[in-house]
Amino acid sequence: MSAAPVPPRLTASLLAPGAVAFLTLGVLQAMYGAAFPLFQERYGVGAGVVGWVASAHFLGSATAPPLVGLALGRVSVRAVTVAGALILALGVLGVAVAPTWSLVVAAALVGGLGLGTVSAAINAAYASIGTRAANLVNAVFGVGSILAPLLVLGLGGVSLAWPFVVVAGLSLLTILATRIWGVPGLRPPAAGTQAARPGPLLVLFALVLGLYVGLEVGFGAWLARHLGSVGFAAPALILSGYWGGLTLGRVLTGLVGGRVAPARLVLAAAALATLAALAATIPALAPAAYVLAGLSLGPVFGTTLAWTASRLPARQVPYLLVAGSAGGVLAPAGLGALVAAFGAEAVPLALAALGVGLTGVVALTARVSARLLPA
């Protein structure tokens, strides 16, 4: 196998298409929940029905990655990204102008399909460049998630349509960025680093990502409930701190993470998040522990994708996102069942157990990855 080209220098023009794309995705991902009251007012749907629009969106986004994995073997990353951004724009414009609730839900499904397409293509492209690039572009997703409620608050009072029109505009801006600067092509693993038998390793990487997303979403979904149960007066503030820590962790990894081997970085991050969850069992430490958990988990997602791309062809990266979606669905539901059975005090212990599982699978993946390298 020939050596992979020298990784490109991380310039603004290299990162710009990924940054614009992930800003768009972050805004849309966080917009539906913030807009629930507006949907209820406009379409007259109840609390039990309004969640369908978010469910349709996530179903679409979970459907896209395997299709992208197949497409990347045939067409360029740029072509897939442009197609995904167009689908996203059409979907959110449909949400903005749909006259009936059923059409809103259908349009959200289309928008989610576009989001999942762009996410899978951009993640594969920047993961193949390395840890720093993957984390920097993913950090911008968090910025978009912070902006989304502000857009709904500022523009939703005029019309429900306007926040989604803004997302459509950002989608077109993503297409413009890809035309101006291009999208990084998928880079092969360096000579001597690609696993000789990729199947078992792909399964392990998928398990790592599934457990990670389950842990990330589990913290986000249940930490406020736990803090409220132990008498903390401002759990929403700590929840914001958790997501802020997650974003900061990605930024810091994007700046200095290239100095640490991906396997070691992911292992250390998983272990530290586990310790933070254990610390949260002590009420006095819980607020700081949850913010630390977010900071600890920040490097895991992008670094795991970069680690995967250093051992397997980058076109395999989209398949990991399916496992991540499964973890995001199963973990909050499982934690909810534990809370129902044992009370909110069970949350940090359950998260710690999930962290132990993640840490163990990361260690196993590192060992198998080393063993499967060509002699």
Side-chain angles (χ1 to χ4, degrees):
M1 181 189 298
S2 60
V6 176
R9 191 165 60 92
L10 298 188
T11 62
S13 60
L14 178 72
L15 296 172
V20 175
F22 272 108
L23 177 69
T24 305
L25 304 188
V27 170
L28 179 58
Q29 192 87 319
M31 185 167 285
Y32 283 108
F36 277 176
L38 300 179
F39 282 119
Q40 290 182 265
E41 180 181 352
R42 178 170 174 176
Y43 295 99
V45 296
V49 175
V50 71
W52 292 358
V53 68
S55 296
H57 165 80
F58 281 104
L59 177 61
S61 67
T63 302
L67 302 178
V68 173
L70 294 173
L72 288 178
R74 295 167 174 80
V75 297
S76 68
V77 182
R78 177 177 174 177
V80 175
T81 302
V82 169
L86 284 172
I87 294 169
L88 193 161
L90 289 173
V92 295
L93 285 175
V95 172
V97 303
T100 65
W101 178 245
S102 59
L103 289 177
V104 170
V105 174
L109 178 69
V110 174
L113 184 65
L115 179 145
T117 299
V118 175
S119 174
I122 293 293
N123 269 312
Y126 286 94
S128 71
I129 296 176
T131 296
R132 294 181 61 210
N135 279 279
L136 283 172
V137 295
N138 270 284
V140 184
F141 184 94
V143 176
S145 298
I146 293 169
L147 292 177
L150 301 178
L151 280 174
V152 173
L153 180 65
L155 298 177
V158 179
S159 170
L160 170 64
W162 280 115
F164 292 94
V165 170
V166 169
V167 175
L170 288 172
S171 301
L172 298 180
L173 189 61
T174 299
I175 295 172
L176 180 62
T178 64
R179 290 187 63 85
I180 294 174
W181 294 295
V183 180
L186 301 184
R187 300 163 53 80
T193 64
Q194 183 169 333
R197 290 181 293 157
L201 197 54
L202 182 61
V203 171
L204 284 171
F205 279 128
L207 189 55
V208 169
L209 206 68
L211 288 168
Y212 161 73
V213 174
L215 193 60
E216 175 198 304
V217 176
F219 272 108
W222 288 103
L223 73 83
R225 178 72 175 271
H226 171 246
L227 288 172
S229 73
V230 297
F232 188 75
L237 179 63
I238 301 305
L239 179 58
S240 295
Y242 166 77
W243 290 115
L246 193 81
T247 301
L248 178 60
R250 289 175 176 174
V251 171
L252 293 175
T253 306
L255 296 176
V256 300
R259 303 174 184 177
V260 184
R264 292 182 180 178
L265 182 55
V266 175
L267 184 62
L272 186 56
T274 303
L275 293 175
L278 287 172
T281 60
I282 303 172
L285 299 180
Y290 282 131
V291 175
L292 176 62
L295 187 64
S296 304
L297 289 173
V300 177
F301 183 81
T303 307
T304 298
L305 298 186
W307 183 14
T308 302
S310 72
R311 294 293 183 264
L312 303 172
R315 66 177 181 274
Q316 304 284 0
V317 166
Y319 297 111
L320 303 188
L321 304 182
V322 181
S325 296
V329 171
L330 295 174
L335 286 166
L338 288 173
V339 169
F342 302 105
E345 292 78 7
V347 167
L349 281 175
L351 290 169
L354 195 56
V356 169
L358 174 61
T359 304
V361 173
V362 171
L364 177 62
T365 303
R367 184 173 181 178
V368 171
S369 173
R371 191 175 73 239
L372 291 182
L373 288 178

